[in-house]
Every structure is written in C-alpha cells, then in structure tokens.
Amino acid sequence: MAAEIHSRPQSSRPVLLSKVEGHQDVVSAALLIPKEDGVITASEDRTIRVWLKRDSGQYWPSIYHTMSSPCSAMAYHHDSRRIFVGQDNGAIMEFHISEDFNKMNFVKTYPAHQNRVSAITFCLTSEWVISTGHDKCVSWMCTRSGSMLGRHYFTSWASCLQYDHETRYAFVGDYSGQITLLKLEQNTCSVITTLKGHEGSITSLWWDPVQRLLFSGASDHSIIMWDIGGRKGRTLLLQGHHDKVQAICYIQLTRQLVSCSADGGIAVWNMDISREEAPQWLESDSCQKCEQPFFWNIKQMWDTKTLGLRQHHCRKCGQAVCGKCSTKRSSYPIMGFEFQVSVCDSCFESIKDEDRTSLATFHEGKHNISHMSMDISRGLMVTCGSDRIVKIWDMTPVVGCSLATGFSSR
C-alpha cells in the first residue's frame, strides 16, 4: 500500500510520482480526486477504495468498501461527491462520499444491465446515469427515482461510452468495431449515424465538446479522430502503439492527445498541426503501377501468360500495387504513421527527411494499462491495470499545460 515518491528528472517525459498497491485483483478504474491528494479505485476484488496522501507522502485507504460483485466501471462527480460503480452482475450502485473523504454512504442501486457494466457517465443537469454493458445495450436511468428510462440494443457488446450533455448525444463503441451516435430522449432514442473505420473492437472513446471532435481507440492498435462538428466525415488515423489502445484523453487547450496501450505504452500526440487524412484503399485487379495482374485475376494471367502477384496497398496514396512496385517502407507522421509502413516506390521518393519527423512522443509506463484518467488542471495522470498497481504521473513535462491552464510545475 506504500507509495514511491520520485524527484523530477530534467527530461521531457512523464514523471512517476507514486505507486499505490494493495488490491488483490485487476484494478478496473482509477480516478484522481480534483483539488485533493487522493485517488478513487474500483477493482475486480470487489472493493471500492479512496486513497488519501498522508504526511509521510504515502497513499493509504481512508475508505475500503466491499461490493457484492466485482467492480467493472466507475464514474465520479466531484461537485456533488457522488460515485457510481458498475459491477460484473450488471447493477450500478450509487454512493455519496463525505466532505473529508473518510466515509461513503450507500444511496441506491440501479438495475442497469443483465451482464457486466462496461462504462458509466453521469449527467447532473438531466439527473441521468447512462451506461453500457456486455448485454449489448446502452441504458439511461433517472437518478431521482432510480427507474429505467430507456434502452437501446446493439449487435455486439457495448464496450465504451461518451456523452454530450448539451445535445444529449451518446457515442457508443462496441466489440464489432463500430461507433453508434444516438440522440437520447426522455424515454426513447434515435440513431443519428454509425462510424466505421476500425478493424478491431472499440476499447476507448473521448469526446471534446468544444471542437466537437470524437477520438476512438481500438484493439487494432490505432486511434481515429472523427470530426463530428465542422468538416463532417473527416477522419484522421493515428498509428504509433504496438498493442490495443486502452485509454485516451484529449487536452483541448494545448491540442494534445494522450493515449495508453495494454503493453504500457504512453503516447502524446501533437494535434495542433494540419494533418493529412489517410487515403481510402483503392481496388484493382492489377497493379496500378506496372499493370501486372493480381493472383485472383485469372483472365489477365491467362491472356498475358504470367503468374498473378500478391496485392499490397500504399499507405500514402492508397493505390493497389504489387510487391515489386512497393519495395520500400517509411514513417509518415503527418498522416499518422509514426512507425514504418508499406509505401509504393514513387511515394517513397516523394517523402522528404523532414516529413519523417515524429509528431508524437512515446513513453513507457512499465505496467499493463487498462484504464487511464487525467486531472488536466494539475497535469496529473493515473493509470491502472491487470498488475493490480495504480501509478500517479506528473505529465507536465510532456503536455505543457502550465501555459494554458495556469498550473505550475512542482
């Protein structure tokens, strides 16, 4: 349960401030308490814990509450000190935390789902608690009465959720790789659109209501930025992780995106530049450079008496090309490719050395990360995962929030 305190090195990387240990199973969620030296954690070991920093510099649990089922998701509203805990059995329990964070009182139970709760959000203005679950649905309930208002079902597990309080738009990611935009009403909802672009299940979402941008992370190791507001349909692809992207957070004031992956990778993306949209992959029966047939083009193989070639796609121009016409690989950060990808030979020649300059920084969290949360006002980040360890990071050396939000480096 002890915390390790480290002095800040003079380098541009996240600084590990504390390690909080004590859970007996996977830590499902961890949240920093605003304006307090404290962390709230929810775990598969069926406990909710509030950790406060003591004079010794160590974090010790001031609240230790055992639930009836493993805890799978959590939402905390600081102004009202209300906490909502989703469980493996599908129920959501609401608690109220005392001003000194030493006591937690049970409020009510919401019959939200028939299976594991995957994400929760709370809207104070409408007094709704909205959640997604492995029963393939999103539900919204009234916190005054505790009753169910509505449900909407999907064809796959609903894995993550973001909600726009002003428009009542809910963004739901699922295991099929699709994101559904819903307009929630008092007792019904309507599907506005669906977003398809990932090749793996959606693992994390982040909505920025100021710029009206949606960011999605997926098990295909990639992140997509969807421009919901101005240039509708515009997408940007970001590829720099080597494992599934588990958590994302967009810092609107500095135009930076922070992302964490299952292998412990922490990336900080510079979004304050004019990036290029990755092209759609073109379809062709023959190489669009040398016109040699691909292996399924039996007619052209017969006519030209040649063997068919394997198809590749140039990541820069999107053309379908053969291996002989795409012998090169290159990074191209302005299009989101931070590591080397396949490009055709002509595109490789057009990429200058300065075009390969990275537009993101990559750091090692040194533990499996399944959940991340940031306190942007203080430049702090908390990560947790299957290793049962919670880590608190000073992110100010890499996100540069001090100029934008006014907090200073400690």
Side-chain angles (χ1 to χ4, degrees), residues 5 22 35 43-44 118 164 260 326 352 362 385 405:
I5 310 299
K35 303 174 184 177
S43 171
E44 299 280 353
S118 56
D164 185 67
C260 298
S326 58
K352 303 171 185 175
F362 298 92
T405 60

Side-chain angles (χ1 to χ4, degrees), residues 9-42:
Q10 298 302 310
S11 60
S12 297
R13 62 184 181 185
V15 179
L16 179 62
L17 300 176
S18 302
K19 277 169 57 174
V20 182
E21 301 176 81
H23 282 290
Q24 304 305 310
D25 208 334
V26 175
V27 182
S28 307
L31 302 170
L32 293 156
I33 303 173
K35 303 174 184 177
E36 299 282 342
D37 284 326
V39 182
I40 306 172
T41 58

Side-chain angles (χ1 to χ4, degrees), residues 347-379:
C347 279
F348 181 84
E349 295 300 324
S350 71
I351 299 173
K352 303 171 185 175
D353 286 343
E354 55 265 31
D355 294 335
R356 297 184 176 92
T357 303
S358 179
L359 298 175
T361 59
F362 298 92
H363 315 277
E364 180 52 62
K366 296 184 178 178
H367 75 145
N368 165 271
I369 299 175
S370 61
H371 184 271
M372 170 269 283
S373 178
M374 285 194 71
D375 182 340
I376 295 172
S377 65
R378 292 185 288 173

Side-chain angles (χ1 to χ4, degrees), residues 325-344:
C325 295
S326 58
T327 60
K328 309 289 188 180
R329 294 174 66 83
S330 175
S331 61
Y332 195 52
I334 201 165
M335 203 173 273
F337 301 118
E338 287 288 337
F339 46 71
Q340 292 194 342
V341 292
S342 177
V343 293
C344 66

Side-chain angles (χ1 to χ4, degrees), residues 1-4 18-24 49 51-52 54 57-62 64:
M1 292 185 183
E4 296 179 6
S18 302
K19 277 169 57 174
V20 182
E21 301 176 81
H23 282 290
Q24 304 305 310
R49 309 186 197 195
W51 308 77
L52 296 181
R54 306 304 183 186
Q58 297 178 332
Y59 285 81
W60 293 93
S62 61
Y64 185 112

